[in-house]
Amino acid sequence: MSDAGLPAGWEVRHSNSKNLPYFFHAATKESRWEYPNGTDTDTLRAYIDQHHGTAAVRPDGRGAKEGKIRAAHLLVKHKDSRRPSSWRQEEITRTKEEAVSLLEGYEQRIRSGEITLGDLAVTESDCSSARKKGDLGFFGPGEMQKEFEDVAFSLKPGEISQIVETASGAHLIQRLE
């Protein structure tokens, strides 16, 4: 087990294009966004927060390019999502209505100030960006699903969207920059 809580042979690397950490096995050359089997997730989350957190990554804003924004999201998938599985659940069986209902509860907690979108995304988002508090990094027009992108670009920094439905599932989006 490494200092990052990963099984032997695995390491955390950083994607310049996505501005997110990913996992790489040097011997097999396998790379993946999901945690490798046998990962100590609590140790890994602490390691990522320390070494790949928002403040540790690109503090100079490098990566921000004209026409690009930075956003975070909390994704709740359902059985009709284009890929109904996640790092949290191998097979997602909830209905679209159940997913939206869950997200409505999360939205209420976020808007009341009980918890931030990023902190809730760490434990509840079905996207692998959960380990980065839902942070998707910088992206420009044409890089995300249209429904997601249209809403993300309409937000001001700090604003949180209403529920947005895409082929991936139901999202809450927060524009960061």
Side-chain angles (χ1 to χ4, degrees):
M1 188 78 44
S2 71
D3 290 346
L6 293 169
W10 287 94
E11 59 188 69
V12 179
R13 292 197 173 176
H14 196 84
S15 166
N16 290 324
S17 62
K18 299 269 188 212
N19 196 21
L20 294 170
Y22 66 96
F23 309 103
F24 181 76
H25 193 282
T28 65
K29 306 291 187 223
E30 178 184 356
S31 64
R32 60 189 336 193
W33 295 107
E34 293 80 23
Y35 304 150
N37 289 336
T39 297
D40 178 339
T41 55
D42 291 334
T43 302
L44 178 60
R45 284 186 185 129
Y47 178 88
I48 287 175
D49 281 348
Q50 181 179 0
H51 299 284
H52 294 271
T54 303
V57 178
R58 308 277 167 101
D60 61 354
R62 202 178 105 236
K65 295 182 178 146
E66 193 171 321
K68 292 195 172 202
I69 65 167
R70 184 170 153 235
H73 75 139
L74 193 163
L75 169 65
V76 178
K77 292 184 174 185
H78 50 80
K79 66 182 182 178
D80 297 318
S81 295
R82 69 178 176 180
R83 196 177 73 81
S85 65
S86 77
W87 67 273
R88 298 178 60 236
Q89 194 174 350
E90 190 172 323
E91 181 185 356
I92 295 174
T93 58
R94 74 176 68 93
T95 66
K96 181 178 180 179
E97 292 75 22
E98 289 169 329
V100 168
S101 179
L102 272 174
L103 205 52
E104 286 170 342
Y106 299 153
E107 180 179 21
Q108 185 176 15
R109 292 178 63 197
I110 293 164
R111 293 198 192 280
S112 74
E114 176 188 337
I115 192 166
T116 66
L117 182 143
D119 288 340
L120 195 55
V122 169
T123 58
E124 304 304 324
S125 183
D126 286 317
C127 181
S128 60
S129 69
R131 65 181 162 270
K132 289 274 298 165
K133 295 187 171 191
D135 191 341
L136 297 167
F138 288 94
F139 58 88
E143 294 182 42
M144 298 289 180
Q145 293 174 30
K146 182 169 178 24
E147 304 89 346
F148 184 98
E149 187 176 286
D150 287 349
V151 172
F153 274 87
S154 74
L155 298 171
K156 292 180 178 77
E159 278 188 325
I160 297 173
S161 72
Q162 300 296 315
I163 294 172
V164 178
E165 293 182 29
T166 70
S168 295
H171 312 251
L172 285 174
I173 305 166
Q174 181 175 24
R175 181 161 170 185
L176 302 174
E177 295 180 45

